[in-house]
Amino acid sequence: EAGIPENALVLAAGGPDVGAALIANPAIAGVAFTGSTSTAKTIARALLEDDNRPLVPLIAETGGINAMIVDSTALPEQVVRDVIASSFQSAGQRCSALRMLYIQEDVSAEIIHMLLGAMDELTIGNPRLLQTDVGPVIDEAARANIQSYIDRHFAEGRVLKSMPVPSEGLFVGPTVIR
C-alpha cells in the first residue's frame, strides 16, 4: 500500500540456521543486525570467510552503554519519568535502555530523591498484566550476570536502592548504583 515492491521486504523467522542461510546467500549485499555481540562476531566472520564475494557491509548494534546527561535546566519530573521508562521498562533489555545517568551536581540530590521515590511506585511481575511495569529478564544467565553486577556494587557500598523481586521467576529488581 505504501508503494514498496512486494519482494523488497521479507520476514524470515527462525534461529541461527536461518541467519546462517541468509548470510551465506550471495545475493545479500549488506547486513544490519541487532542482538548479541557474540552473534555479531559470528556474522562478521561468516561474511569475511567467503572469498568468492565482494566485501559485505555489516552494521551491528549490540547494546551500547546509553547515557543521559542532565543539567540544571532540565525539568526534574521529566528526567525521572524518562529515566524510569528507559532504564526499567522491558527490564532494561532494550538496546536503547539507559545505563548511565550523569546529573549536574547542584541538581543531583533533588533528582535522585525523586527517582528513588518513583521506583517505589513500580510493579514488578508478569508482563502480561497491565499493572506490571517491570517484567523478568530473558534467561537465567542474564539474571545471574545482572545480579552479580549489582551484588559487587552493593558490597562496595554503591547501591543507592534496589527493589525487591518476586521469589519465582527471572526477575532483577530495578537498581540505582552511584
Side-chain angles (χ1 to χ4, degrees):
E1 290 177 16
I4 298 172
E6 260 187 53
N7 64 353
L9 300 173
V10 177
L11 172 62
D17 55 330
V18 173
L22 288 169
I23 298 303
N25 186 324
I28 300 296
V31 176
F33 170 77
T34 300
S36 72
T37 302
S38 63
T39 301
K41 287 179 180 179
T42 300
I43 293 169
R45 280 191 295 274
L47 291 171
L48 290 171
E49 287 173 357
D50 188 348
D51 293 329
N52 297 322
R53 91 197 261 190
L55 190 60
V56 175
L58 168 63
I59 300 168
E61 202 293 303
T62 59
I65 304 295
N66 299 305
M68 179 186 293
I69 300 171
V70 178
D71 70 11
S72 61
T73 65
L75 298 172
E77 297 84 0
Q78 186 177 28
V79 169
V80 170
R81 181 199 67 205
D82 292 347
V83 167
I84 292 287
S86 185
S87 297
F88 302 135
Q89 288 178 350
S90 302
Q93 296 179 109
R94 291 183 322 271
C95 293
S96 61
L98 178 64
R99 305 275 197 282
M100 302 292 291
L101 176 63
Y102 297 97
I103 308 173
Q104 186 173 326
E105 191 67 37
D106 57 333
V107 294
S108 66
E110 175 189 9
I111 291 174
I112 290 171
H113 176 75
M114 289 175 68
L115 175 60
L116 301 182
M119 289 172 67
D120 290 333
E121 301 302 315
L122 294 173
T123 300
I124 302 167
N126 185 338
R128 291 187 180 127
L129 303 176
L130 193 55
Q131 69 267 22
T132 298
D133 299 303
V134 182
V137 295
I138 193 164
D139 58 26
E140 176 54 31
R143 191 208 62 75
N145 186 41
I146 298 165
Q147 193 59 56
S148 171
Y149 182 84
I150 292 168
D151 293 345
R152 186 172 73 243
H153 290 290
F154 187 80
E156 295 171 0
R158 298 182 60 208
V159 173
L160 299 182
K161 183 175 192 129
S162 189
M163 301 295 297
V165 296
S167 58
E168 299 280 324
L170 300 171
F171 296 96
V172 178
T175 302
V176 175
I177 299 170
R178 181 180 297 273

